[in-house]
Amino acid sequence: MTNSDTQDDKPQHYLLIVNDRVAGRTRIKVPGLYRNDHLGANLESRLTVLDEIRLVRANTLTGNLLVEYTTPLGTREMPASIAQLLEAELGYPIIRHTESIDRPPKKVIERKPKIARRRPEVTGYQAQPLQLWHTLSGTRVIDFVQGNEEGLTQEAAAQRLAKYGYNLLSEQVGRSSLQMFLAQFVSAPVAMLGVAAVISLGTGGVADTAVIVTVVLINSVIGFVTEKSAEKTINALGQLTPETAIVIRGGKKQEISMPEIALGDILVLAPGSYIAADARLLDSHCLTLDESPLTGESLPVSKNHEYLGEEDTALGDRQNMAYMGTTVTGGNGRAIAVATGRHTEIGKIQDLVGGTKTPVTPMQMQIDDMGMQLALLSSGICVLVFVVGILRGRPLLQMLMSSISLAVAAVPEGLPTVATSTLAIGIKEMKSRKVLIRQLPAVENLGSVQVICLDKTGTLTLNQMSVVALQTLQTDIKVKEGGFYHGDAQVDPYSTDETLRRMMEVLVLCNESMPAEKGAGGLQGSPTENALLQAAIDAGEDIHYLREHRPAVKVDYRAEDRPYMVTVHTLEDGQFFTAVKGSPSEVLELCQRCSINGRLEVLSEDQRKAILTWNERLGTDALRVLGVAYCITGDVTGYKQQELIWLGLVGMEDVIRPGMAELMAQFHDAGIDTIMITGDQSSTALSVGKRLGLNGVHGKPLEIIDSGHLDKLDPSVLAGLVGRTTIFSRVSPAHKLLIVQALQRSGKVVAMTGDGINDSPALKAANIGVTLGEKGTDAARSVADVILEDDDLKTMVTAIREGRAIYDNIRKSLHFLLSTNLSEIEVMLFSAALGGPEILNPMQLLWINLITDIFPALALAMDPPEFDVLKRPPRNPNAAIVSRSDYTKLIRESGIITAGTLGVYGYSLLRYGPGQNASTNAFMSLTIAQFLHAYRSRSEHTSIFNLENRPSNRYLDTAVGLSGLMQVLAVTFPPLRRLLRLSPIGAFDMITILAGAGLPFIANEAIKGINKNTFNKDNEK
């Protein structure tokens, strides 16, 4: 009744059960029945021949088919013969309305099924069917995606790739080189200089224009080169996910490229396999998956292909599903791909990432505000000087040129260069310490972080388990770093309690973990079984010998009705050794006897109560607890009739990364609050938080919140709640995003660390996102600002120290630029008010800015960090980069420098009269005074005369030396001297110049010392 040759050209359809609430009566939506009388007549004719049918009515106006059965079944299910006939006739599977979310198909664009070098565009492909796959049986899923157990043919796979697109996640489009370069010009100071250059060129000042344009281009090129270099550094990390996957096509296993995975492909799952697409399990054998990159769950999750979920079953509880980005940790199986590329759960998370806005850094906001203020201020000063000059009778063109030059002097052209270059230097320093910075402002942002959100799984912990406690009826043993301790004394476990020897044998035999291949090191298996096997190895067990002489003959794995694992092994005397581990209470129920220091005794009620109490106590410490037992029987199944012998309890916990507790203490010393975010249960999270010391040096109570209903809270309530919370448990990707945004809403600068797919939205939304380079997923690395290349979170302290030092250094540079530029403005204002010849001509002002606004200011930005930088609290991101008290200092310091320059100018007027000699001496005095002021700007507390508390800055020494050499050339090299309109300098004039420059420097340093002493006395009081 349908043309199979054209079926592939149509959008996928299905027979939808609209209503089957009345027993013996079902209404079905049939595609193509609407206004198709021929199809309706054929359906009625074909179905009425069945004995079960009482009535068939095809309504071509609604497209529904009504079927009534002669024998009501009292359930929703139609007789199998009716369903089989309908599916065979129409070629579509029958599903219920609760099994499907019907999405209208998109227009198909024909594409050649070949892999291009660049990622194919995702727009234009048809949408994949979106179903509640976990509620459908494996057979129904195969029918729905039109696949089969033997896998797709190569032709069918190619057609589906052309139809739905390749198995690729959408990439974020970065800035082009042109966009990056043009962005360097978007600031108020640069705009001000651009206007000045245009006016200067229009009035004939070609040389002035050339100098202005040169300064702007130098700043822009430095910013572009450093940002471009940073992008290349990040992109050089490459892809760390596998490039191929094993599938079944045409009945044969094949290794194909990851992007070529198509809807309906059969995936082969084995230990270590990377799940290449979202898939419904068809077969599974002891299959466990590491879903921590997606759900945050630290322990492997057991999978069962026979499981059928409900419509609202949570993602982490869908036992019959395997999702892209997760990894097989044990067992094997097969699965059919039901979603690829952007249609997977990872793809949905990336859509969430794409809608998240990246915040502007505090440094960007403050520098932009400062630039605008300076532009407005300089405009007003230029107008004032121009008006005063005209009123004093100076020529119009001369005052216009002077005003333009003063505008250049008023705007600190070196500020964009200093900020950009300083951040770039921070990137280089971080790279040498295995920390890769994705964007220039990220370094500064790290220094202003007030709260750091830490993802537990894989970041704070190693995503591994470790045995930490052994409890028998005779003794309790603590396990630390491979050693066994009773109290504070290290002991031999077998000498302490002979029962522990038998316990270790069980942990080796009832275990599927294996030592890694030679040269690989470590163990291969699930984290839990690896931990048990490692404990036995540490106790001295020879696992190879034990397993060789007690080979396994039967294994019963954990199941829903059997929360323990049983293995049976042959002994040399022909008997069978049964090893059992699992739920302590369940294993205890199977035991009638116990082992006490190797002796077998009847298990008393008091002993049972003690065991259950110990189990609860270990569980309170958030340990995962297993009970261990054994028996020896005469046949393989004898353990089912014989009671077991109780051995003891084993407690395990997540392994904390080395040095994490000390790192938390360093964060707290630096005034940074720490918040742990995890997908684990509250009890597990609380235990990890205690071991990490998240409660700080004062031991404040740990506040923990289960995030099950976090998304239902009002944003204002959540913003107030997050500030008092230390741990969030059972969080989802959306919850992490809510937590970060709530912290930002409360006014905090937030850093977020994480390495999983589920961390990506929060990483992007945070002011600074930090992920791991080796273990971090591509999704996390693509949005993070900082990448820890060697997966060492301790380098965060270095990054924070650099960030704070960079902010301090930019303040130093800004202080130097503003105070020196202000001194130039004051000199020119005095000159305009005085009348007569100008003290400094326009070219001299441009020269001063060229040699003082870039190199000395840049060298100040490379000043070594001060000793107490990590002992201060984080700065307030809303505080002005230049405060009111700073403006007072700027006016005082610039006024002292101006006084020295005017003193030299007054002396020169008396000696030479108005003219070039007086202007030359004032020019030299002001320039040298600015060189010396760079040293004064290195610190607000320490003096240049106290070198013990002040590390040297060789960059500043070099910059001042080179700038001084250029200044010497200005008065000795004739062409340059003529350009600047300078006169030769005599010996006595040089002494006067040095006095006019040196005395202001000494005065400013002395005032700094006086202020420091006053500050110290106030603190003592």
Side-chain angles (χ1 to χ4, degrees), residues 160-178:
R160 296 186 184 206
L161 290 174
K163 187 175 185 179
Y164 299 119
Y166 294 98
N167 184 34
L168 295 167
L169 300 176
S170 57
E171 288 185 323
Q172 290 185 316
V173 180
R175 292 184 300 169
S176 66
S177 296
L178 179 60

Side-chain angles (χ1 to χ4, degrees), residues 357-372:
K357 185 178 179 181
T358 303
V360 179
T361 69
M363 181 67 74
Q364 286 175 309
M365 293 186 292
Q366 294 192 42
I367 288 180
D368 289 345
D369 291 343
M370 177 62 64
M372 181 62 68

Side-chain angles (χ1 to χ4, degrees), residues 587-720:
V587 173
L588 184 61
E589 285 293 324
L590 304 175
C591 298
Q592 289 298 324
R593 294 186 294 169
C594 62
S595 174
I596 300 179
N597 198 19
R599 302 187 314 274
L600 300 184
E601 298 181 5
V602 176
L603 192 61
S604 67
E605 285 302 317
D606 290 340
Q607 289 172 329
R608 289 181 183 275
K609 292 179 181 179
I611 292 171
L612 294 176
T613 300
W614 292 329
N615 179 40
E616 292 181 1
R617 187 179 303 161
L618 293 174
T620 303
D621 292 335
L623 301 184
R624 186 182 185 189
V625 187
L626 295 178
V628 182
Y630 84 103
C631 70
I632 298 177
T633 60
D635 58 82
V636 174
T637 60
Y639 69 92
K640 295 184 178 180
Q641 292 79 35
Q642 182 173 327
E643 301 295 346
L644 299 180
I645 300 169
W646 177 262
L647 292 174
L649 299 168
V650 180
M652 294 169 288
E653 67 181 7
D654 271 351
V655 178
I656 301 292
R657 283 182 178 272
M660 287 300 101
E662 293 79 4
L663 178 62
M664 297 303 107
Q666 287 182 292
F667 285 144
H668 297 151
D669 286 343
I672 299 174
D673 294 330
T674 53
I675 295 177
M676 187 175 74
I677 299 177
T678 177
D680 281 340
Q681 299 287 348
S682 297
S683 58
T684 302
L686 184 61
S687 172
V688 174
K690 288 179 179 178
R691 286 184 282 144
L692 286 171
L694 293 182
N695 52 348
V697 294
H698 300 296
K700 63 180 182 180
L702 287 177
E703 298 291 340
I704 184 169
I705 290 181
D706 190 298
S707 305
H709 304 286
L710 204 61
D711 52 352
K712 298 180 181 179
L713 291 177
D714 183 86
S716 60
V717 174
L718 182 59

Side-chain angles (χ1 to χ4, degrees), residues 722-938:
V722 293
R724 302 190 301 270
T725 305
T726 313
I727 301 172
F728 289 91
S729 63
R730 298 298 295 171
V731 296
S732 69
H735 290 156
K736 293 183 179 182
L737 183 58
L738 285 175
I739 293 168
V740 169
Q741 291 175 335
L743 285 166
Q744 292 173 326
R745 198 176 294 114
S746 65
K748 302 292 186 181
V749 177
V750 183
M752 171 72 192
T753 68
D755 60 349
I757 301 164
N758 62 322
D759 300 318
S760 302
L763 286 174
K764 183 177 181 182
N767 300 89
I768 185 74
V770 184
T771 191
L772 306 181
E774 295 181 6
K775 295 185 179 179
T777 60
D778 284 340
R781 288 204 309 268
S782 67
V783 298
D785 302 291
V786 177
I787 298 176
L788 307 180
E789 191 176 18
D790 58 357
D791 293 0
D792 187 1
L793 191 62
K794 293 191 292 294
T795 53
M796 279 279 292
V797 173
T798 301
I800 290 172
R801 181 176 63 248
E802 287 294 322
R804 292 188 177 186
I806 284 169
Y807 182 81
D808 289 345
N809 289 348
I810 290 178
R811 272 182 50 87
K812 295 174 187 178
S813 299
L814 184 57
H815 184 98
F816 167 73
L817 290 169
L818 293 178
S819 57
T820 53
N821 285 17
L822 188 57
S823 66
E824 297 168 27
I825 294 173
E826 291 167 351
V827 169
M828 293 304 295
L829 277 173
F830 183 83
S831 176
L834 186 65
E838 293 180 316
I839 298 179
L840 300 174
N841 62 55
M843 193 58 68
Q844 289 172 351
L845 286 172
L846 292 174
W847 174 264
I848 292 174
N849 277 26
L850 181 63
I851 66 173
T852 62
D853 273 15
I854 296 179
F855 299 113
L858 181 58
L860 274 175
M862 302 170 72
D863 216 33
E866 297 186 38
F867 298 119
D868 63 342
V869 70
L870 284 179
K871 298 297 181 180
R872 313 174 196 159
R875 61 181 177 81
N876 183 358
N878 298 320
I881 194 169
V882 179
S883 64
R884 292 183 179 179
S885 61
D886 291 328
Y887 282 116
T888 302
K889 293 179 184 177
L890 292 174
I891 294 174
R892 183 189 66 228
E893 293 170 9
S894 63
I896 294 174
I897 294 174
T898 299
T901 300
L902 293 178
V904 173
Y905 183 73
Y907 153 79
S908 300
L909 284 178
L910 293 175
R911 183 174 183 182
Y912 301 109
Q916 193 165 296
N917 285 333
S919 177
T920 299
N921 290 348
F923 167 73
M924 292 295 294
S925 177
L926 181 59
T927 306
I928 296 174
Q930 291 187 4
F931 291 158
L932 295 176
H933 194 65
Y935 288 96
R936 182 258 166 253
S937 301
R938 287 193 59 198

